[in-house]
Amino acid sequence: MFTKKKLKINRHLFYETSHSPSLVDIVGEKMLSKVTDFCFIANPYFPDKRLTKKLQDRLPMLMKSYPSSNPRLSQELLAKVLHVKPEQLLIGNGASELITIIQKEFIDDFAIPVPTFSEYTDKLKKQECAHLFQLPPEKNYQLDLDEYARWIDEHGITSALIINPGNPTGQLLSLNDMIVFLNRMQHLRLIIVDESFMDFAAEDIPSLLPHVKHHPNVIIVRSMSKHCGVPGLRLGYCCTANMELLKRLRGLTPVWNINTIAEYFVSQLPATDAQYQKARLRVIKDVRYLYNELKNLDGFLAYPTASNFVLIKILCGLNATELQHKLLEEYHLYVRDCSNKTGMDKLHIRVASQGMAKDKLLIAALKGISAQYTASSKQQELHQSK
């Protein structure tokens, strides 16, 4: 595979946020269509063209309209596709809004397995709240729930986080193991279970949503950016059987925290659920192909995944930042450098599936880079031996 004309990027932006900078900020609007984004995680198949066209047609009217002041209307529509009670739901301006409010208002001390999604370490009431539970690199950063439960109790921590499937690892904890853990930890004040990637875990979604009524100290958080593929709409939700917690949460969110375009999108979910399910299954098929190809590449270690992305350890001599910039500048492929994730080393990138055709471009690029650096390493060894 030949590299393309070298792309100029705004490198300084990578050092100004704990999240990845947006692609348009890095490369500019003119080059945006020429770069494939494997960094930001979103369903590439949903919404489909028909739903997108409906949104486009209604945009002039939606822009001039206020959203509803009654959140229950959107909750009822979302509840239809989630098969939960509307009163158990709260829709937010992205999951990040809900995460921020929950952490600043309801959590005094917090067990956080790391590495993790950085909002959970960045949006604490105060940094002393955080009790970081290091996931073992030698075990592929897999969370052991028994060990985690013992550690929480030994340190007297009152609230805990689990992201399932994990981010950035993509690894899945079984539904049965999760229920055993929740039953064991009923004494905790609050357990956040982030299921933003759960819809890609299996054909039959192993979610805790049907079981939430049995665990009043649990709040499930989900980002619709990920499974619905609409990061620009800023939609997320939480689900809990704790009505007192929800009442307080609703009192802390603005009356119009969801914009009219996002609200219209939610209104279309029941009618387009069949299309969404097809898109979800297609993503699962694609990411399995991506993982199977990546795990056979020399110079890289791909971690097993139950999400729509794959975590990769670099073994070919580059660090994550070097590989990210090389892929972006020379191959026009944008991946997530995980170096700034607390609890992770400088040798991991995360790649989100963008459909089989685009995934093949990434596979070919990594194969070429690995071959290049393997050959260079052998030449150096030969030179040193002389």
Side-chain angles (χ1 to χ4, degrees), residues 279-321:
R280 182 180 70 82
L281 295 175
R282 191 175 174 187
V283 172
I284 291 173
K285 181 179 179 181
D286 284 351
V287 79
R288 287 175 181 169
Y289 166 81
L290 175 62
Y291 168 70
N292 285 329
E293 291 295 313
L294 291 173
K295 74 177 184 179
N296 293 317
L297 286 184
D298 293 332
F300 300 97
L301 172 66
Y303 293 73
T305 186
S307 186
N308 60 332
F309 60 82
V310 182
L311 181 68
I312 304 170
K313 185 171 185 178
I314 307 161
L315 306 174
C316 64
L318 294 169
N319 64 39
T321 302

Side-chain angles (χ1 to χ4, degrees), residues 32-215:
L32 191 59
S33 62
K34 299 180 181 180
V35 180
T36 304
D37 189 348
F38 293 94
C39 178
F40 287 92
I41 308 167
N43 186 337
Y45 302 122
F46 194 82
D48 63 11
K49 291 181 180 179
R50 284 174 292 180
L51 180 50
T52 301
K53 181 66 165 54
K54 289 183 76 173
L55 285 163
Q56 290 172 334
D57 290 344
R58 284 160 178 78
L59 185 59
M61 179 270 291
L62 294 172
M63 286 171 50
K64 293 293 185 179
S65 304
Y66 268 90
S68 171
S69 59
N70 184 353
R72 184 176 176 87
L73 300 176
S74 291
Q75 289 164 204
E76 289 175 346
L77 293 161
L78 181 59
K80 287 182 179 180
V81 296
L82 297 178
H83 309 292
V84 298
K85 295 178 179 179
E87 58 267 25
Q88 295 176 334
L89 291 173
L90 174 62
I91 303 175
N93 182 31
S96 58
E97 179 188 47
L98 302 173
I99 291 167
T100 299
I101 295 172
I102 292 167
Q103 293 199 146
K104 290 189 178 298
E105 298 293 334
F106 300 97
I107 291 175
D108 295 319
D109 54 341
F110 199 26
I112 307 174
V114 292
T116 189
F117 177 48
S118 59
E119 285 295 278
Y120 288 110
T121 52
D122 290 352
K123 294 298 190 296
L124 296 159
K125 183 186 299 184
K126 48 189 177 182
Q127 284 303 311
E128 306 91 87
C129 294
H131 297 262
L132 304 183
F133 181 78
Q134 178 65 54
L135 299 176
E138 67 277 9
K139 295 182 180 178
N140 294 344
Y141 298 99
Q142 182 68 49
L143 175 60
D144 183 317
L145 287 175
D146 285 338
E147 186 179 345
Y148 188 41
R150 286 195 300 272
W151 181 84
I152 291 169
D153 285 342
E154 285 171 4
H155 289 79
I157 305 168
T158 61
S159 298
L161 168 70
I162 295 178
I163 301 181
N164 192 35
N167 179 12
T169 67
Q171 298 181 49
L172 181 69
L173 300 164
S174 75
L175 179 58
N176 183 66
D177 287 348
M178 283 295 298
I179 291 173
V180 170
F181 175 85
L182 297 182
N183 287 336
R184 178 176 176 177
M185 308 306 286
Q186 293 181 54
H187 57 284
L188 293 187
R189 179 183 181 189
L190 188 64
I191 302 172
I192 299 177
V193 180
D194 188 321
E195 287 193 344
S196 292
F197 307 99
M198 186 58 78
D199 280 19
F200 306 116
E203 286 78 1
D204 295 324
I205 304 170
S207 173
L208 281 168
L209 285 173
H211 306 273
V212 73
K213 61 185 177 183
H214 302 300
H215 305 283

Side-chain angles (χ1 to χ4, degrees), residues 335-371:
V335 302
R336 174 59 154 105
D337 172 5
C338 294
S339 298
N340 66 349
K341 286 192 172 290
T342 301
M344 183 159 274
D345 61 26
K346 308 291 185 183
L347 298 174
H348 287 81
I349 61 170
R350 189 192 65 199
V351 299
S353 176
Q354 295 301 314
M356 201 171 293
K358 291 179 179 179
D359 291 351
K360 287 179 179 178
L361 297 175
L362 177 65
I363 294 161
L366 291 175
K367 188 178 294 185
I369 290 170
S370 176

